[in-house]
Amino acid sequence: MAADGFFRIALGVEYKGSRYRGWQRQASGVATVQETLESALSKVANSPVSLHCAGRTDAGVHACGQVVHFDTQVERSMKAWVMGANINLPHDVSVSWAKAMPAHFHARFKAIARRYRYVIYNDQIRPAHLNEEITWNHRPLDVERMAEAAQYLVGVHDFSAFRAGQCQAKSPIKELHHLRVTRHGKMIVLDIRASAFLHHMVRNIAGVLMTIGAGERPVEWIKEVLESRIRRSGGVTAHPFGLYLVQVEYHDEFELPQRYIGPHFLTGFSELDG
Protein backbone atom coordinates (compact mmCIF):
# COMPACT_ATOMS: atom_id res chain seq x y z
CA MET A 1 0.00 0.00 0.00
CA ALA A 2 1.32 3.48 -0.94
CA ALA A 3 -0.63 5.16 1.88
CA ASP A 4 -3.79 4.45 3.85
CA GLY A 5 -6.38 3.39 1.30
CA PHE A 6 -4.06 3.82 -1.70
CA PHE A 7 -2.34 1.31 -3.98
CA ARG A 8 0.89 2.13 -5.84
CA ILE A 9 0.97 0.65 -9.34
CA ALA A 10 3.97 0.52 -11.68
CA LEU A 11 3.56 0.15 -15.45
CA GLY A 12 5.88 -0.67 -18.33
CA VAL A 13 5.15 1.62 -21.26
CA GLU A 14 6.28 1.87 -24.86
CA TYR A 15 5.47 4.59 -27.37
CA LYS A 16 6.35 6.14 -30.67
CA GLY A 17 7.11 9.76 -29.87
CA SER A 18 6.77 11.23 -33.36
CA ARG A 19 3.48 13.07 -32.90
CA TYR A 20 4.00 14.07 -29.26
CA ARG A 21 5.72 17.07 -27.74
CA GLY A 22 7.59 14.79 -25.40
CA TRP A 23 6.55 12.91 -22.28
CA GLN A 24 5.70 15.75 -19.91
CA ARG A 25 2.20 17.20 -19.74
CA GLN A 26 2.07 20.74 -21.16
CA ALA A 27 -0.49 23.42 -21.95
CA SER A 28 -3.96 22.37 -23.00
CA GLY A 29 -4.13 21.23 -26.61
CA VAL A 30 -0.47 20.11 -26.80
CA ALA A 31 -0.20 16.36 -27.36
CA THR A 32 2.06 14.63 -24.81
CA VAL A 33 2.54 11.00 -23.85
CA GLN A 34 1.84 11.69 -20.18
CA GLU A 35 -1.53 13.32 -20.81
CA THR A 36 -2.52 10.60 -23.30
CA LEU A 37 -1.69 7.79 -20.87
CA GLU A 38 -3.25 9.54 -17.86
CA SER A 39 -6.47 9.98 -19.82
CA ALA A 40 -6.63 6.28 -20.68
CA LEU A 41 -5.86 5.14 -17.12
CA SER A 42 -8.38 7.58 -15.66
CA LYS A 43 -11.08 5.84 -17.68
CA VAL A 44 -10.04 2.49 -16.23
CA ALA A 45 -10.02 3.92 -12.69
CA ASN A 46 -13.14 6.06 -13.14
CA SER A 47 -11.13 8.76 -11.36
CA PRO A 48 -8.16 11.02 -12.17
CA VAL A 49 -4.74 9.35 -12.44
CA SER A 50 -1.46 11.28 -12.15
CA LEU A 51 1.75 9.64 -13.38
CA HIS A 52 5.43 9.79 -12.43
CA CYS A 53 7.92 8.50 -15.02
CA ALA A 54 11.49 7.19 -14.89
CA GLY A 55 12.74 9.54 -17.60
CA ARG A 56 11.09 12.48 -19.38
CA THR A 57 11.69 12.02 -23.08
CA ASP A 58 11.80 14.95 -25.52
CA ALA A 59 9.60 15.66 -28.52
CA GLY A 60 10.00 12.98 -31.18
CA VAL A 61 11.86 10.57 -28.88
CA HIS A 62 10.55 7.01 -28.47
CA ALA A 63 10.47 4.49 -25.62
CA CYS A 64 10.17 0.74 -25.35
CA GLY A 65 11.24 0.47 -21.72
CA GLN A 66 9.67 3.44 -19.95
CA VAL A 67 8.55 2.83 -16.35
CA VAL A 68 5.86 4.89 -14.62
CA HIS A 69 3.90 4.70 -11.39
CA PHE A 70 0.71 6.13 -9.93
CA ASP A 71 -1.30 5.91 -6.71
CA THR A 72 -4.96 4.99 -6.72
CA GLN A 73 -7.73 4.02 -4.30
CA VAL A 74 -9.30 1.82 -6.97
CA GLU A 75 -8.79 -1.93 -6.90
CA ARG A 76 -8.21 -3.49 -10.32
CA SER A 77 -6.36 -6.61 -11.39
CA MET A 78 -3.01 -6.06 -13.06
CA LYS A 79 -4.48 -7.47 -16.26
CA ALA A 80 -7.31 -4.94 -16.07
CA TRP A 81 -4.84 -2.04 -15.81
CA VAL A 82 -2.94 -3.29 -18.87
CA MET A 83 -5.86 -4.27 -21.08
CA GLY A 84 -8.08 -1.40 -19.98
CA ALA A 85 -5.39 1.17 -20.69
CA ASN A 86 -4.56 -0.29 -24.09
CA ILE A 87 -8.21 -0.30 -25.18
CA ASN A 88 -8.32 3.44 -24.50
CA LEU A 89 -4.90 4.33 -25.93
CA PRO A 90 -4.05 5.38 -29.51
CA HIS A 91 -2.01 3.05 -31.72
CA ASP A 92 1.34 4.65 -30.82
CA VAL A 93 1.23 4.14 -27.03
CA SER A 94 1.03 0.75 -25.31
CA VAL A 95 1.19 -0.57 -21.74
CA SER A 96 3.17 -3.83 -21.60
CA TRP A 97 2.84 -4.80 -17.90
CA ALA A 98 1.50 -3.68 -14.52
CA LYS A 99 2.64 -4.55 -11.00
CA ALA A 100 1.55 -3.53 -7.49
CA MET A 101 4.48 -1.89 -5.69
CA PRO A 102 5.44 -1.01 -2.10
CA ALA A 103 5.06 2.57 -0.91
CA HIS A 104 8.80 3.34 -1.12
CA PHE A 105 9.01 2.56 -4.84
CA HIS A 106 9.34 5.58 -7.13
CA ALA A 107 9.74 5.24 -10.91
CA ARG A 108 12.24 8.11 -11.12
CA PHE A 109 14.04 8.29 -7.78
CA LYS A 110 14.53 4.55 -7.29
CA ALA A 111 16.00 4.00 -10.76
CA ILE A 112 19.69 3.07 -10.62
CA ALA A 113 20.47 3.12 -14.35
CA ARG A 114 18.92 4.07 -17.66
CA ARG A 115 19.73 2.78 -21.11
CA TYR A 116 19.13 4.35 -24.52
CA ARG A 117 19.69 3.22 -28.08
CA TYR A 118 20.20 5.58 -30.99
CA VAL A 119 19.56 3.99 -34.39
CA ILE A 120 21.16 5.39 -37.56
CA TYR A 121 20.28 4.28 -41.08
CA ASN A 122 23.52 4.74 -43.00
CA ASP A 123 23.01 4.78 -46.77
CA GLN A 124 23.25 7.29 -49.60
CA ILE A 125 19.53 6.92 -50.37
CA ARG A 126 16.87 8.12 -47.96
CA PRO A 127 14.79 5.17 -46.66
CA ALA A 128 11.05 5.09 -47.27
CA HIS A 129 10.38 2.85 -44.28
CA LEU A 130 10.70 3.46 -40.51
CA ASN A 131 10.00 7.13 -41.10
CA GLU A 132 10.83 9.12 -37.92
CA GLU A 133 11.88 5.88 -36.18
CA ILE A 134 15.51 6.02 -37.31
CA THR A 135 17.93 8.84 -38.12
CA TRP A 136 19.15 8.84 -41.72
CA ASN A 137 22.78 9.76 -42.41
CA HIS A 138 23.85 9.66 -46.05
CA ARG A 139 27.61 9.97 -45.37
CA PRO A 140 29.58 6.69 -45.14
CA LEU A 141 30.25 6.25 -41.42
CA ASP A 142 33.28 4.35 -40.07
CA VAL A 143 31.93 2.34 -37.13
CA GLU A 144 35.40 1.41 -35.86
CA ARG A 145 36.34 5.10 -35.52
CA MET A 146 33.05 5.81 -33.77
CA ALA A 147 33.50 2.89 -31.37
CA GLU A 148 37.06 3.98 -30.55
CA ALA A 149 35.98 7.54 -29.88
CA ALA A 150 33.07 6.39 -27.72
CA GLN A 151 35.42 4.87 -25.14
CA TYR A 152 36.69 8.33 -24.13
CA LEU A 153 33.26 8.96 -22.60
CA VAL A 154 32.98 5.80 -20.50
CA GLY A 155 33.36 6.43 -16.77
CA VAL A 156 32.61 9.37 -14.49
CA HIS A 157 32.92 12.74 -16.25
CA ASP A 158 31.63 16.28 -16.35
CA PHE A 159 29.35 16.12 -19.42
CA SER A 160 28.70 19.89 -19.66
CA ALA A 161 29.82 19.87 -23.32
CA PHE A 162 26.99 17.42 -24.10
CA ARG A 163 24.34 19.25 -22.09
CA ALA A 164 21.53 21.37 -23.52
CA GLY A 165 21.38 24.98 -22.38
CA GLN A 166 17.92 24.46 -20.85
CA CYS A 167 19.02 21.39 -18.85
CA GLN A 168 17.73 21.55 -15.27
CA ALA A 169 19.96 18.82 -13.77
CA LYS A 170 21.73 19.93 -10.59
CA SER A 171 25.08 18.44 -11.65
CA PRO A 172 26.67 17.73 -15.06
CA ILE A 173 28.72 14.90 -13.56
CA LYS A 174 27.38 11.49 -14.62
CA GLU A 175 28.72 7.94 -14.76
CA LEU A 176 28.52 6.38 -18.21
CA HIS A 177 28.65 2.58 -17.80
CA HIS A 178 28.96 1.63 -21.46
CA LEU A 179 28.77 3.13 -24.94
CA ARG A 180 28.80 0.53 -27.71
CA VAL A 181 28.73 1.25 -31.43
CA THR A 182 27.81 -1.62 -33.76
CA ARG A 183 26.78 -2.00 -37.38
CA HIS A 184 23.96 -4.27 -38.55
CA GLY A 185 23.70 -4.05 -42.32
CA LYS A 186 22.65 -0.50 -43.13
CA MET A 187 21.91 0.30 -39.48
CA ILE A 188 24.34 1.57 -36.86
CA VAL A 189 23.29 1.32 -33.21
CA LEU A 190 24.65 3.41 -30.35
CA ASP A 191 23.86 1.58 -27.09
CA ILE A 192 24.47 3.76 -24.05
CA ARG A 193 23.87 3.04 -20.36
CA ALA A 194 24.42 5.49 -17.51
CA SER A 195 23.35 6.32 -13.99
CA ALA A 196 21.34 9.23 -15.40
CA PHE A 197 21.38 11.52 -18.43
CA LEU A 198 21.47 15.26 -19.04
CA HIS A 199 19.05 17.00 -21.39
CA HIS A 200 20.00 16.16 -25.02
CA MET A 201 23.08 14.26 -23.79
CA VAL A 202 22.59 11.18 -26.00
CA ARG A 203 21.70 13.23 -29.08
CA ASN A 204 24.76 15.45 -28.59
CA ILE A 205 26.99 12.41 -28.20
CA ALA A 206 25.46 10.93 -31.35
CA GLY A 207 26.17 14.13 -33.28
CA VAL A 208 29.85 14.09 -32.28
CA LEU A 209 30.25 10.38 -33.08
CA MET A 210 28.66 10.76 -36.53
CA THR A 211 30.99 13.67 -37.29
CA ILE A 212 33.98 11.50 -36.36
CA GLY A 213 32.57 8.51 -38.25
CA ALA A 214 32.27 10.64 -41.39
CA GLY A 215 35.98 11.53 -41.13
CA GLU A 216 35.32 15.22 -40.55
CA ARG A 217 37.13 15.19 -37.19
CA PRO A 218 39.82 12.94 -35.65
CA VAL A 219 38.91 10.29 -33.08
CA GLU A 220 40.56 12.34 -30.31
CA TRP A 221 38.24 15.28 -30.96
CA ILE A 222 35.61 13.76 -28.66
CA LYS A 223 38.09 13.98 -25.76
CA GLU A 224 38.71 17.66 -26.57
CA VAL A 225 34.96 18.31 -26.59
CA LEU A 226 34.47 16.51 -23.28
CA GLU A 227 37.31 18.36 -21.56
CA SER A 228 36.20 21.75 -22.90
CA ARG A 229 32.95 21.57 -20.87
CA ILE A 230 31.50 24.00 -23.43
CA ARG A 231 28.42 22.93 -25.36
CA ARG A 232 29.16 24.90 -28.55
CA SER A 233 32.43 22.97 -29.00
CA GLY A 234 30.51 19.78 -29.76
CA GLY A 235 28.76 20.60 -33.02
CA VAL A 236 25.10 19.99 -33.84
CA THR A 237 22.52 18.07 -31.84
CA ALA A 238 21.46 14.90 -33.68
CA HIS A 239 17.79 14.40 -34.66
CA PRO A 240 15.48 12.83 -32.06
CA PHE A 241 13.94 10.32 -34.49
CA GLY A 242 16.31 7.40 -33.83
CA LEU A 243 16.44 7.74 -30.05
CA TYR A 244 14.78 5.14 -27.78
CA LEU A 245 14.62 4.77 -24.01
CA VAL A 246 15.03 1.00 -23.93
CA GLN A 247 15.55 0.07 -20.27
CA VAL A 248 15.29 1.44 -16.74
CA GLU A 249 16.97 -0.58 -13.99
CA TYR A 250 16.03 -0.93 -10.32
CA HIS A 251 17.28 -2.94 -7.36
CA ASP A 252 16.24 -6.59 -7.34
CA GLU A 253 13.91 -6.06 -4.36
CA PHE A 254 11.28 -4.56 -6.68
CA GLU A 255 11.19 -7.57 -9.04
CA LEU A 256 9.86 -5.65 -12.02
CA PRO A 257 8.94 -7.68 -15.11
CA GLN A 258 11.74 -8.03 -17.67
CA ARG A 259 11.19 -7.73 -21.43
CA TYR A 260 13.52 -7.75 -24.40
CA ILE A 261 15.70 -4.72 -25.05
CA GLY A 262 14.11 -2.90 -28.01
CA PRO A 263 13.22 -1.34 -30.30
CA HIS A 264 11.23 -4.15 -31.92
CA PHE A 265 13.05 -4.14 -35.25
CA LEU A 266 16.40 -4.78 -33.54
CA THR A 267 15.37 -7.81 -31.50
CA GLY A 268 16.71 -10.24 -34.11
CA PHE A 269 20.29 -9.03 -33.65
CA SER A 270 21.61 -11.33 -30.89
CA GLU A 271 24.95 -9.50 -30.76
CA LEU A 272 23.14 -6.51 -29.23
CA ASP A 273 22.12 -8.53 -26.17
CA GLY A 274 23.78 -7.86 -22.84
Side-chain angles (χ1 to χ4, degrees):
M1 301 289 285
D4 289 344
F6 281 86
F7 302 93
R8 178 155 294 183
I9 308 297
L11 304 176
V13 185
E14 55 186 55
Y15 48 86
K16 178 181 177 180
S18 304
R19 71 184 186 95
Y20 298 99
R21 293 296 300 170
W23 162 266
Q24 191 170 9
R25 187 192 311 109
Q26 299 182 33
S28 178
V30 177
T32 65
V33 181
Q34 181 180 8
E35 183 177 29
T36 300
L37 184 54
E38 286 177 343
S39 176
L41 290 167
S42 296
K43 292 176 182 177
V44 181
N46 291 320
S47 59
V49 168
S50 180
L51 294 170
H52 302 269
C53 75
R56 291 178 292 182
T57 51
D58 291 335
V61 175
H62 318 295
C64 38
Q66 178 72 275
V67 177
V68 306
H69 84 261
F70 63 96
D71 293 338
T72 180
Q73 293 180 295
V74 175
E75 282 197 65
R76 299 282 189 271
S77 70
M78 296 304 105
K79 182 178 180 181
W81 286 119
V82 174
M83 302 304 292
N86 286 338
I87 288 172
N88 290 289
L89 284 168
H91 68 280
D92 50 7
V93 183
S94 179
V95 174
S96 52
W97 54 262
K99 189 176 188 297
M101 302 302 296
H104 65 283
F105 174 81
H106 193 286
R108 178 184 175 190
F109 297 123
K110 289 297 182 178
I112 57 175
R114 295 162 178 84
R115 185 173 175 180
Y116 284 85
R117 282 178 173 171
Y118 192 84
V119 186
I120 304 160
Y121 184 82
N122 189 211
D123 190 71
Q124 187 177 4
I125 304 301
R126 174 179 56 82
H129 303 291
L130 296 178
N131 183 35
E132 297 184 336
E133 293 178 61
I134 50 89
T135 285
W136 171 50
N137 194 314
H138 70 279
R139 303 169 297 178
L141 299 178
D142 187 325
V143 171
E144 292 185 1
R145 284 170 54 86
M146 295 169 69
E148 183 182 351
Q151 298 317 299
Y152 284 106
L153 301 185
V154 176
V156 179
H157 301 287
D158 182 329
F159 284 95
S160 293
F162 298 94
R163 176 182 189 171
Q166 63 269 41
C167 180
Q168 298 178 358
K170 293 181 179 179
S171 171
I173 298 174
K174 303 297 175 186
E175 181 178 6
L176 201 156
H177 302 302
H178 76 234
L179 176 46
R180 304 167 185 154
V181 185
T182 53
R183 179 182 284 277
H184 311 273
K186 297 291 186 182
M187 287 189 287
I188 297 172
V189 180
L190 313 184
D191 188 314
I192 180 169
R193 176 179 178 269
S195 56
F197 289 87
L198 302 169
H199 192 197
H200 286 176
M201 179 173 162
V202 178
R203 290 169 58 190
N204 290 331
I205 289 173
V208 168
L209 289 177
M210 283 189 281
T211 300
I212 291 171
E216 297 177 5
R217 292 279 191 163
V219 168
E220 295 75 19
W221 178 56
I222 198 168
K223 184 173 183 288
E224 296 174 14
V225 172
L226 177 67
E227 293 177 348
S228 75
R229 301 180 183 179
I230 300 173
R231 171 66 202 111
R232 64 177 178 271
S233 67
V236 299
T237 301
H239 291 298
F241 308 136
L243 182 56
Y244 294 79
L245 173 60
V246 298
Q247 187 180 35
V248 183
E249 298 177 45
Y250 299 87
H251 288 297
D252 292 341
E253 65 168 304
F254 296 120
E255 298 182 333
L256 293 183
Q258 299 297 314
R259 281 168 56 84
Y260 56 83
I261 306 298
H264 301 291
F265 56 85
L266 294 181
T267 55
F269 300 122
S270 59
E271 59 268 37
L272 280 171
D273 295 341

